[in-house]
Amino acid sequence: MSTGTVRGMDHVGITVSDIEEATRFFSEAFGAEVIYDSVSPSDDDVKGEETESILNLFPGTRITTVRMMKLQHGPGLELFEMQGPEQHQPVRPSDYGIQHFAVYVDDINEAIGLFERAGGKMFTSPQPLMFPTEAGDNNFFCYGRTPWGSVIELISLPSRLPYEESTSLRRWKP
Protein backbone atom coordinates (compact mmCIF):
# COMPACT_ATOMS: atom_id res chain seq x y z
CA MET A 1 0.00 0.00 0.00
CA SER A 2 1.28 3.45 -0.86
CA THR A 3 2.10 5.60 2.15
CA GLY A 4 0.14 8.40 0.44
CA THR A 5 -3.05 6.33 0.69
CA VAL A 6 -3.40 6.37 4.48
CA ARG A 7 -3.77 9.85 5.99
CA GLY A 8 -4.57 9.04 9.61
CA MET A 9 -7.37 8.05 11.95
CA ASP A 10 -10.71 9.67 11.07
CA HIS A 11 -12.87 8.73 14.05
CA VAL A 12 -13.44 6.27 16.90
CA GLY A 13 -16.86 4.60 17.05
CA ILE A 14 -18.32 3.99 20.51
CA THR A 15 -21.60 2.25 21.31
CA VAL A 16 -23.25 3.86 24.32
CA SER A 17 -26.36 3.08 26.34
CA ASP A 18 -27.60 6.70 26.41
CA ILE A 19 -26.50 9.12 23.68
CA GLU A 20 -27.42 12.23 25.66
CA GLU A 21 -25.46 11.06 28.72
CA ALA A 22 -22.46 10.22 26.52
CA THR A 23 -22.68 13.58 24.72
CA ARG A 24 -22.74 15.42 28.05
CA PHE A 25 -19.83 13.33 29.35
CA PHE A 26 -17.56 13.96 26.33
CA SER A 27 -18.51 17.63 26.30
CA GLU A 28 -17.78 18.15 30.01
CA ALA A 29 -14.74 15.86 30.24
CA PHE A 30 -12.96 16.77 26.99
CA GLY A 31 -14.67 19.83 25.52
CA ALA A 32 -16.07 17.73 22.63
CA GLU A 33 -18.68 19.38 20.43
CA VAL A 34 -21.54 17.87 18.44
CA ILE A 35 -20.97 18.24 14.69
CA TYR A 36 -24.13 16.48 13.49
CA ASP A 37 -26.51 13.58 14.00
CA SER A 38 -26.42 10.98 11.21
CA VAL A 39 -29.41 9.16 12.66
CA SER A 40 -32.09 10.46 15.00
CA PRO A 41 -34.62 8.40 16.98
CA SER A 42 -37.38 9.29 14.48
CA ASP A 43 -35.44 7.74 11.56
CA ASP A 44 -36.48 4.25 10.55
CA ASP A 45 -34.12 3.60 7.64
CA VAL A 46 -31.22 2.09 9.62
CA LYS A 47 -32.74 -1.10 10.94
CA GLY A 48 -33.28 -4.45 9.40
CA GLU A 49 -31.27 -7.24 7.84
CA GLU A 50 -29.24 -5.04 5.48
CA THR A 51 -27.92 -2.85 8.30
CA GLU A 52 -27.37 -5.92 10.49
CA SER A 53 -25.28 -7.44 7.69
CA ILE A 54 -23.30 -4.28 6.85
CA LEU A 55 -22.35 -3.62 10.50
CA ASN A 56 -22.34 -7.26 11.67
CA LEU A 57 -25.00 -6.51 14.30
CA PHE A 58 -26.82 -9.14 16.33
CA PRO A 59 -30.13 -9.90 14.56
CA GLY A 60 -32.91 -7.62 15.78
CA THR A 61 -30.61 -4.74 16.78
CA ARG A 62 -31.92 -1.25 16.02
CA ILE A 63 -29.71 1.82 15.71
CA THR A 64 -31.62 4.62 17.44
CA THR A 65 -29.11 7.51 17.22
CA VAL A 66 -25.70 8.15 15.65
CA ARG A 67 -23.87 11.36 16.55
CA MET A 68 -20.52 12.70 15.32
CA MET A 69 -18.54 14.80 17.79
CA LYS A 70 -15.19 16.53 17.53
CA LEU A 71 -12.35 17.04 19.93
CA GLN A 72 -10.08 20.07 19.55
CA HIS A 73 -7.36 17.83 18.06
CA GLY A 74 -7.34 14.30 16.72
CA PRO A 75 -10.02 11.99 15.36
CA GLY A 76 -13.76 12.43 15.71
CA LEU A 77 -15.96 10.47 18.11
CA GLU A 78 -18.90 8.69 16.49
CA LEU A 79 -21.42 7.71 19.15
CA PHE A 80 -23.92 4.93 18.45
CA GLU A 81 -26.98 4.31 20.60
CA MET A 82 -28.38 0.89 19.75
CA GLN A 83 -31.08 -1.34 21.19
CA GLY A 84 -30.79 -5.05 20.65
CA PRO A 85 -31.75 -8.41 22.04
CA GLU A 86 -28.16 -9.28 22.94
CA GLN A 87 -25.80 -6.59 24.24
CA HIS A 88 -22.80 -7.01 26.53
CA GLN A 89 -20.82 -4.80 28.87
CA PRO A 90 -17.67 -3.12 27.46
CA VAL A 91 -14.49 -5.20 27.43
CA ARG A 92 -11.70 -5.08 29.98
CA PRO A 93 -8.21 -4.15 28.79
CA SER A 94 -7.28 -7.84 29.11
CA ASP A 95 -9.96 -8.93 26.61
CA TYR A 96 -9.32 -9.28 22.86
CA GLY A 97 -10.20 -6.41 20.57
CA ILE A 98 -10.13 -2.66 20.87
CA GLN A 99 -10.19 -2.02 24.59
CA HIS A 100 -9.45 1.68 25.07
CA PHE A 101 -8.45 4.90 23.39
CA ALA A 102 -6.15 7.55 24.82
CA VAL A 103 -6.74 11.29 25.01
CA TYR A 104 -3.61 13.45 25.09
CA VAL A 105 -3.85 16.14 27.80
CA ASP A 106 -1.55 18.97 28.83
CA ASP A 107 -2.51 18.96 32.52
CA ILE A 108 -3.36 15.44 33.63
CA ASN A 109 -4.66 16.46 37.07
CA GLU A 110 -7.04 19.02 35.56
CA ALA A 111 -8.16 16.43 32.99
CA ILE A 112 -8.86 13.92 35.77
CA GLY A 113 -10.97 16.51 37.58
CA LEU A 114 -13.03 17.16 34.44
CA PHE A 115 -13.36 13.42 33.74
CA GLU A 116 -14.62 12.69 37.26
CA ARG A 117 -16.93 15.72 37.44
CA ALA A 118 -18.47 14.55 34.16
CA GLY A 119 -19.28 11.19 35.80
CA GLY A 120 -16.24 9.08 34.94
CA LYS A 121 -14.19 7.11 37.48
CA MET A 122 -10.42 6.91 37.34
CA PHE A 123 -8.77 3.60 38.29
CA THR A 124 -5.70 5.30 39.85
CA SER A 125 -4.02 8.64 40.25
CA PRO A 126 -1.55 9.61 37.47
CA GLN A 127 1.23 7.05 37.09
CA PRO A 128 4.64 7.38 35.43
CA LEU A 129 4.60 5.60 32.09
CA MET A 130 5.38 1.92 32.64
CA PHE A 131 7.72 1.18 29.74
CA PRO A 132 11.38 2.28 29.52
CA THR A 133 10.77 3.52 25.95
CA GLU A 134 8.30 6.11 27.31
CA ALA A 135 9.86 7.16 30.63
CA GLY A 136 10.52 10.82 31.28
CA ASP A 137 9.93 13.67 33.69
CA ASN A 138 6.18 14.31 34.03
CA ASN A 139 5.25 11.65 31.44
CA PHE A 140 2.09 10.29 33.07
CA PHE A 141 -0.96 8.22 32.27
CA CYS A 142 -4.03 6.84 34.00
CA TYR A 143 -7.05 4.84 32.96
CA GLY A 144 -10.68 5.50 33.81
CA ARG A 145 -14.16 4.25 33.01
CA THR A 146 -16.95 6.30 31.45
CA PRO A 147 -20.44 6.25 32.99
CA TRP A 148 -21.50 3.54 30.49
CA GLY A 149 -18.37 1.41 31.02
CA SER A 150 -15.89 2.19 28.22
CA VAL A 151 -12.23 2.57 29.18
CA ILE A 152 -10.36 5.79 28.32
CA GLU A 153 -6.70 6.55 29.02
CA LEU A 154 -5.50 10.06 29.81
CA ILE A 155 -1.87 10.60 28.78
CA SER A 156 0.60 13.46 28.97
CA LEU A 157 4.09 13.24 27.46
CA PRO A 158 5.82 16.60 27.90
CA SER A 159 9.34 15.12 28.09
CA ARG A 160 11.38 13.62 25.28
CA LEU A 161 10.80 9.88 25.02
CA PRO A 162 13.77 7.48 25.14
CA TYR A 163 12.61 5.60 22.01
CA GLU A 164 13.33 8.79 20.01
CA GLU A 165 17.06 8.05 20.32
CA SER A 166 16.77 4.89 18.21
CA THR A 167 14.37 5.88 15.39
CA SER A 168 13.29 8.88 13.35
CA LEU A 169 9.65 7.78 13.64
CA ARG A 170 7.52 9.67 16.16
CA ARG A 171 4.24 9.15 18.00
CA TRP A 172 1.51 11.64 17.14
CA LYS A 173 1.20 14.64 19.46
CA PRO A 174 -1.13 17.62 19.12
Side-chain angles (χ1 to χ4, degrees):
M1 178 185 315
S2 166
T3 57
T5 300
V6 177
R7 300 281 308 264
M9 187 175 291
D10 181 74
H11 67 273
V12 175
I14 306 166
T15 299
V16 300
S17 56
D18 181 322
I19 198 100
E20 297 306 329
E21 176 189 42
T23 299
R24 180 199 56 75
F25 175 80
F26 283 115
S27 176
E28 291 178 12
F30 302 122
E33 299 174 275
V34 174
I35 303 173
Y36 56 84
D37 284 356
S38 302
V39 176
S40 66
S42 61
D43 294 340
D44 62 2
D45 60 340
V46 293
K47 59 184 173 184
E49 290 180 19
E50 183 179 9
T51 302
E52 291 170 2
S53 175
I54 291 169
L55 299 178
N56 193 33
L57 303 176
F58 190 86
T61 299
R62 181 173 185 278
I63 300 172
T64 57
T65 312
V66 179
R67 178 169 292 157
M68 185 64 75
M69 299 186 75
K70 71 177 281 309
L71 297 171
Q72 184 177 3
H73 302 286
L77 300 174
E78 187 176 28
L79 306 180
F80 289 80
E81 182 180 294
M82 298 188 202
Q83 297 173 348
E86 186 173 305
Q87 290 179 289
H88 301 283
Q89 292 300 310
V91 299
R92 288 177 176 253
S94 57
D95 293 330
Y96 296 120
I98 297 172
Q99 39 94 343
H100 81 277
F101 67 90
V103 175
Y104 190 96
V105 299
D106 290 323
D107 183 329
I108 199 161
N109 290 310
E110 180 180 349
I112 288 169
L114 292 169
F115 189 91
E116 290 178 334
R117 282 192 293 282
K121 178 163 181 9
M122 301 310 299
F123 300 156
T124 66
S125 60
Q127 305 293 310
L129 275 98
M130 299 168 49
F131 307 118
T133 51
E134 301 171 334
D137 290 339
N138 297 311
N139 289 348
F140 289 108
F141 80 107
C142 56
Y143 281 62
R145 189 171 302 280
T146 64
W148 60 91
S150 294
V151 175
I152 297 177
E153 176 183 0
L154 303 179
I155 189 167
S156 185
L157 304 168
S159 295
R160 184 171 175 84
L161 300 174
Y163 85 86
E164 295 173 355
E165 300 299 324
S166 61
T167 181
S168 62
L169 298 174
R170 296 294 182 260
R171 291 175 65 147
W172 177 85
K173 269 180 144 176

